[in-house]
Amino acid sequence: MKKISLLIAGCIALSSCYKLDTTPYSQVSADTFWQNEDQALAGILGCYNDLKKEATFGLQFSYDGLSDIGLGYDPPGLGEVISGTFTDRSSIVVDRWQAGYDLIQRCNHAIAHIQPMTIDKAKQEGFIAEAKFLRALMYFQLTNLYGALPIYDETVDLNKDFSSLKNSRSSVEDVKKFILADLNYAVDKLPVTYDAKHYGRITKGAAYALRGKVALYNKDWTSAIRDFEEIVYNKTNNYAYSLSANYASLFTMEGDQAPEMIFAIQNLGGTGFPYGMPMAFYMGTRSTFGSDWNNCMPSTRLADRYENRDGSPFNWNDNFPNYNTDNAVKKKAMESTQSGGVLTKVPDTAKLRQIYANRDPRMNQTLIVPYSHYLGWNANKERDMQFIIATGVNENFGQIRNNRGWYTYLWRKFVPEGNLKGAITDRAHTPINFPILRLADVLLMLSEAYNETNQLDKAITELNKVRTRSKMPALNSGSSFLVVNNKAEMSKRIQHERAVELAGEGWRYFDLKRWNLLEEVSKDYIEKGITGDNLVTRGYQTRHKLWPVPGQEIEMNAALLPQNQDW
């Protein structure tokens, strides 16, 4: 097998990663468990495993559906949030709050029991630093969703205090201070690297990257620059991060230990190893292993924003006159007819292939585009599948079918091909590591921080590293459409680059919120399919920038009031 993750080994050692000594999960007694270094490590790995839960980071990719680059349906695709019908009782809202605090409490439990252990001090501090990083990461995600939060640290003992967790909500500012305190400790105590067998654990570089990201969200540009420069330019240590030569490989098993990955959720599949994330299940189609649901889809807006290879803006009208405004032109350019799998009419597919081939390479590495091919899984074997825009397409004909019946682009990124040579046996457990922090993201954040401090040349340098990795021309490299003159123009470039580089990774929604652009791209917007059909109208309201505190939580703890504005 390609990888046996240390995180999985920890789970096996505990019998279940989810069953530490916390009410109501008591299965392993703290009196007999937290005794030695191996048990401390196993306890920490149990915290890592909570990252895979769908309501923590297991569906991180679904957040793109709440932005201009994706769409979705049903709870896995955040359909209620997209339509604007979610409430303080919606499972989407309730489950993310509860699962987030479950992970936080698991970290608290580990910290509290490792602190008094008599083990090697450096390792003890390292374990605590890992738990504090994970706690900070979860609080950061929760505050970006809900705003002000109650803070609970390792002094809480669920065995004693489970029924009396009545803290009021601390301000967002105080939550961020708590997060930064945890990350300060992590930066100080974590090692730069581990032995190979410990690959996947949190490092000092990851702590710098997350602390820089928190600073960026706080608009503390100077601190963000300091932390990002530390790991980009190896200021005090050799972190050895570098961009992978092959962008597409990052989102396959080949990219699992790429030097671009700063911190990624370690996923494993195969018989007896259900320790993956559901990318196949919810990003894949009926042609993917397990016959899947594609609850999460890329938007036509995302597809249309990929530039031409020379860096010029793409425009369908340049290829088909009146395409942008006339659905009849779209249908003629895109639609086929078929009967029983036999095509009876096809558009000019050679022209379409040429159009798509002339785009930013990341487009075809990220998306399955019309009339392209994908190695799927059908009748329990690999099968070449083609994405055909037509009524009645079916995977049994060797065609890719959108489960919803919509004509949309589909994800190629993170979606397994075939059965990954036996590595995947369960569609809910895709064995491809999922990045939480990677170098390209850090470079783009560093570019943003430079731009905000009027260091335009430095901002361009960092962004160009990401563009040129994918063979896209650098900004200010000659052509007029590549020229950037000022801070405002550079902001637009950063927004574009983050959209196409990080598509499918779940960060666009949070970017739009912090840029105050979420309402602009969402309110009453009608998402359209490839041929112009209306798919869904976004029901965004101003109050949706922050999700409501779950009603059940307020019933148990009135100190969580007041509710978020207008809920």
Side-chain angles (χ1 to χ4, degrees), residues 528-539:
K528 296 181 180 293
I530 293 171
T531 56
D533 296 327
N534 294 347
L535 302 180
V536 64
T537 299
R538 294 188 180 272

Side-chain angles (χ1 to χ4, degrees), residues 152-271:
Y152 297 102
D153 63 14
E154 64 273 15
T155 62
V156 174
D157 183 350
L158 277 189
N159 293 312
K160 300 175 182 177
D161 306 325
F162 180 71
S163 61
S164 58
L165 300 180
K166 304 295 185 182
N167 286 5
S168 60
R169 297 167 73 192
S170 297
S171 67
V172 172
E173 182 181 34
D174 284 344
V175 174
K176 294 286 181 68
K177 287 179 181 178
F178 184 82
I179 291 168
L180 288 171
D182 273 355
L183 293 176
N184 291 341
Y185 185 94
V187 163
D188 186 45
K189 303 299 183 183
L190 283 169
V192 174
T193 61
Y194 295 93
D195 293 339
K197 67 179 180 179
H198 290 266
Y199 180 81
R201 291 172 63 187
I202 299 156
T203 61
K204 187 182 293 289
Y208 272 115
L210 183 56
R211 191 172 71 177
K213 186 171 187 174
V214 174
L216 187 86
Y217 276 50
N218 288 345
K219 295 182 169 51
D220 181 358
W221 313 117
T222 300
S223 295
I225 289 169
R226 179 198 64 220
D227 282 344
F228 294 147
E229 284 185 339
E230 169 68 25
I231 58 176
V232 169
Y233 291 103
N234 299 306
K235 292 281 190 175
T236 59
N237 296 286
N238 180 16
Y239 300 95
Y241 300 127
S242 63
L243 292 175
S244 296
N246 184 345
Y247 173 81
S249 70
L250 289 166
F251 317 108
T252 68
M253 291 178 68
E254 180 185 343
D256 281 352
Q257 296 191 32
E260 184 167 336
M261 296 298 192
I262 296 174
F263 178 61
I265 298 175
Q266 305 294 295
N267 289 315
L268 186 65
T271 303

Side-chain angles (χ1 to χ4, degrees), residues 58-71:
L59 287 177
Q60 180 66 25
F61 49 84
S62 70
Y63 287 110
D64 277 353
L66 306 184
S67 76
D68 55 340
I69 68 171
L71 66 158

Side-chain angles (χ1 to χ4, degrees), residues 286-287 372-378 383-387 394-400:
R286 289 297 191 180
S287 299
S372 66
H373 291 257
Y374 156 77
L375 183 62
W377 187 261
N378 181 252
R383 183 172 183 177
D384 178 69
M385 300 284 188
Q386 188 175 25
F387 181 23
N394 192 281
E395 57 276 10
N396 295 320
F397 303 148
Q399 301 166 342
I400 300 175

Side-chain angles (χ1 to χ4, degrees), residues 18 33 51 118 120 144 157 177 183 227 241 263 281 287 292 299 330 367 372 428 436 479 507 514 527 532 547:
Y18 299 98
F33 180 68
L51 295 172
T118 54
D120 178 83
N144 287 323
D157 183 350
K177 287 179 181 178
L183 293 176
D227 282 344
Y241 300 127
F263 178 61
F281 202 167
S287 299
D292 300 295
S299 69
K330 293 184 178 74
L367 308 179
S372 66
I436 297 297
S479 300
W507 300 115
R514 66 188 179 85
E527 296 290 352
W547 291 11

